[in-house]
Amino acid sequence: MTTRLDQARPYAVGLFRIVTGLLFASHGAASLFGVLGGAHGGGTVAAGTWPGWYAAAIQLVAGVLVLLGLGTRAAAFVASGSMAYAYFTVHQPDALWPLQNGGEASAMFCWAFLLLVFTGPGALALDSLLPSRGSAARGHRDETRPEAVTA
């Protein structure tokens, strides 16, 4: 059973990445373009306003990059940091626990993206179509890619 789960790990990570990126990009699109109900129940965030517009731009761009699996680790790192900033500046001053201060989404996105920084994109990432670089070019195997997992 463990062997089969290990073989499926890259696909599970890839699916996790796709869903997380899509949800994150949806928040950015809602804030920037007023789609999917808009920002805070309607409308858009005014262009250039700090921090709302910049957060929405990070959400949209990083979310799409993570969704596609392009530069996943860097995009996830930026996204994780933006959610940590959001949690500690917007939510945490109201109460200690995310359940009390409405910061569950910020906390979950922060930790989900931090996990992707360490796991990499998994399977089904567009990065896998690009020429190898870094440690893969030096002969090290990427354990998140399906071809690297052995039975």
Side-chain angles (χ1 to χ4, degrees):
M1 178 74 156
T2 301
T3 301
R4 297 197 105 184
L5 291 173
D6 287 343
Q7 290 173 338
R9 181 184 303 140
Y11 298 100
V13 171
L15 184 59
F16 176 78
R17 171 188 50 78
I18 290 167
V19 171
T20 303
L22 177 64
L23 293 173
F24 202 59
S26 296
H27 279 278
S31 296
L32 292 174
F33 308 120
V35 297
L36 305 169
H40 308 292
T44 60
V45 175
T49 58
W50 177 260
W53 186 86
Y54 294 94
I58 289 170
Q59 289 168 349
L60 181 61
V61 173
V64 168
L65 289 172
V66 168
L67 167 69
L68 297 174
L70 286 172
T72 302
R73 286 186 159 133
F77 183 76
V78 170
S80 178
S82 74
M83 288 294 95
Y85 178 84
Y87 181 78
F88 286 111
T89 61
V90 175
H91 301 287
Q92 199 275 328
D94 293 338
L96 178 62
W97 297 103
L99 187 59
Q100 295 173 314
N101 62 31
E104 298 99 331
S106 296
M108 286 298 296
F109 274 125
C110 177
W111 287 103
F113 284 119
L114 189 62
L115 178 65
L116 288 172
V117 169
F118 288 95
T119 64
L124 311 171
L126 290 183
D127 267 346
S128 65
L129 301 176
L130 300 176
S132 295
R133 53 187 197 272
S135 63
R138 291 189 297 269
H140 297 119
R141 294 188 327 183
D142 183 353
E143 295 296 328
T144 64
R145 293 198 178 168
E147 65 273 9
V149 179
T150 57

